[in-house]
Amino acid sequence: SYAEAVSRAPQLEWDNYQPPRPSFVGTRVFDEFPLQGLIDTIDWTPFFSTWMLAGKYPKILKDEIVGEEATKLFAEAQTMLDTLIQEKWLSAKAVFSLFPVKRVEDDAAVLDASGNKIASFHFLRQQGKKGKGVPNRSLADYLNPDQVDYMGCFAVTAGLGMETKLAEFQAAGDDYNDIMFKALADRFAEAATEYLHEQVRKSYWGYATS
């Protein structure tokens, strides 16, 4: 039951913890990410999963069964990657917010500058049966129960403008490049998320990802 799951929440030590305040509170927009700067952040393993090739990058390139096909696919992806950046087939954009919040049971009440509640986030709690000593977690567990804490949220897209090129592929019946382009856009979306996360941590929280 939910009540039982709540009773099995993680028991964290808060007595000597002071929630760090970010240097900025509010909402900001990254109008356009530099796509070239995202390449080193790309996680290529899910890219191969899109093509039903199992294995982790870069080991998959030397796999006895799928290595040859994976290497060919990866090379063709690099060619399209260079072209789509040069010809600006798509662009990436993000918006993020940092809020002061107060925990209310399993919810987070978002506060304005005067400390008044302006919205709520309702967090789920794990309700599956766990092993002995394993808690039923909720994101709310990691907000200070007694003091104002801070929470971030974001939205990222790497699909702006891609409809034009996709329409060209689809009109030509070019399913291969249609799928390839979508797969690369998906990788850029995740890479942009990692880039945003790192920038926010360094610029507004004062520390980098370990």
Side-chain angles (χ1 to χ4, degrees), residues 132-200:
K132 184 177 181 180
V134 179
N136 290 73
R137 302 178 190 276
S138 168
L139 286 176
D141 296 329
Y142 303 96
L143 295 173
N144 194 300
D146 302 314
Q147 302 182 52
V148 171
D149 210 327
Y150 297 89
M151 184 180 76
C153 57
F154 67 91
V156 173
T157 179
L160 296 173
M162 65 185 296
E163 293 85 359
T164 300
K165 202 65 186 179
L166 286 176
E168 291 181 19
F169 291 142
Q170 291 162 6
D174 190 348
D175 293 338
Y176 178 78
N177 280 315
D178 178 81
I179 296 172
M180 177 69 79
F181 187 28
K182 289 175 181 176
L184 290 176
D186 184 61
R187 293 300 85 221
F188 270 124
E190 184 179 23
T193 300
E194 295 295 335
Y195 178 87
L196 174 68
H197 186 202
E198 183 68 13
Q199 293 303 307
V200 171

Side-chain angles (χ1 to χ4, degrees), residues 12-32:
L12 305 179
E13 176 58 57
W14 295 103
D15 291 344
N16 298 313
Y17 178 77
Q18 180 65 40
R21 190 184 194 282
S23 61
F24 160 80
V25 172
T27 299
R28 289 189 178 174
V29 174
F30 283 78
D31 282 319
E32 187 169 351

